Structure formats: structure tokens, C-alpha cells
Amino acid sequence: QAADRGPGILQPQRIELPSFLNTPARRPDSEALRPEEKTQAIRRSRDFELLTSACRRAGKLREEGRAHFSLAVLRDNLGQYHKAIEAYNAF
């Protein structure tokens, strides 16, 4: 009956943005990243960190939000949950 009430309180509440925004895909926690995927995710997260500050300076709020969301997903996939939460909050 608890399953009928929707997602659990202690379960992460994640959203998916529309595909046309080209954000990274969220991977299940049980699915580990391969070493090359982990390296690529780290590189992309650095790119998104740079993009968030560039968008902030340029006053592009929507693009900054999308970059924060993408950064949060990548950090979530890497298991960097505290950093992911910070990026989700900035989104």
C-alpha cells in the first residue's frame, strides 16, 4: 500500500529535463561507471563549471540553470552526492 502513495520520502526525487535541452542522462546508483566514462564525466563536469560562471557573467539565467542541472547529474553519476545537491540547489 505504501507503493500506492508515490515515491518514498527517503528516496531521491529526481526529474528529467526534455531531451532537446541535451542534458546528460541520469544513471541508476547500482550501475557503476566504466573508467573511461568516469574520466569523460569528470571532464564534462569541469566544462559545466566553467559554463555556469560564464552564463552568470553574461546574464543568461536559463543557460546557467541548465548548466547547473547538467553538472548536478554528472556529479550524481560520479557518486559525488554532496556536490550534486549543491548543484541541484543552484538549479
Side-chain angles (χ1 to χ4, degrees):
Q1 292 167 352
D4 295 337
R5 289 184 268 160
I9 278 185
L10 299 178
Q11 297 299 316
Q13 306 297 309
R14 296 183 176 101
I15 62 167
E16 296 292 330
L17 291 183
S19 61
F20 67 85
L21 291 176
N22 198 23
T23 56
R26 168 73 181 99
R27 297 178 71 118
D29 291 333
S30 60
E31 190 177 313
L33 292 173
R34 296 189 314 257
E36 61 272 5
E37 291 174 326
K38 186 174 183 176
T39 302
Q40 183 182 23
I42 291 170
R43 284 185 187 144
R44 288 185 71 196
S45 65
R46 289 182 190 147
D47 291 343
F48 280 117
E49 287 172 358
L50 182 63
L51 183 61
T52 57
S53 60
C55 289
R56 186 177 314 114
R57 285 193 311 269
K60 297 182 176 184
L61 297 178
R62 287 181 188 229
E63 290 82 3
E64 181 186 354
R66 185 176 57 82
H68 277 294
F69 181 83
S70 297
L71 180 60
V73 170
L74 288 172
R75 287 178 171 169
D76 201 350
N77 289 345
L78 288 167
Q80 300 172 351
Y81 300 118
H82 292 289
K83 289 183 178 182
I85 290 169
E86 290 174 5
Y88 279 126
N89 285 333
F91 168 68

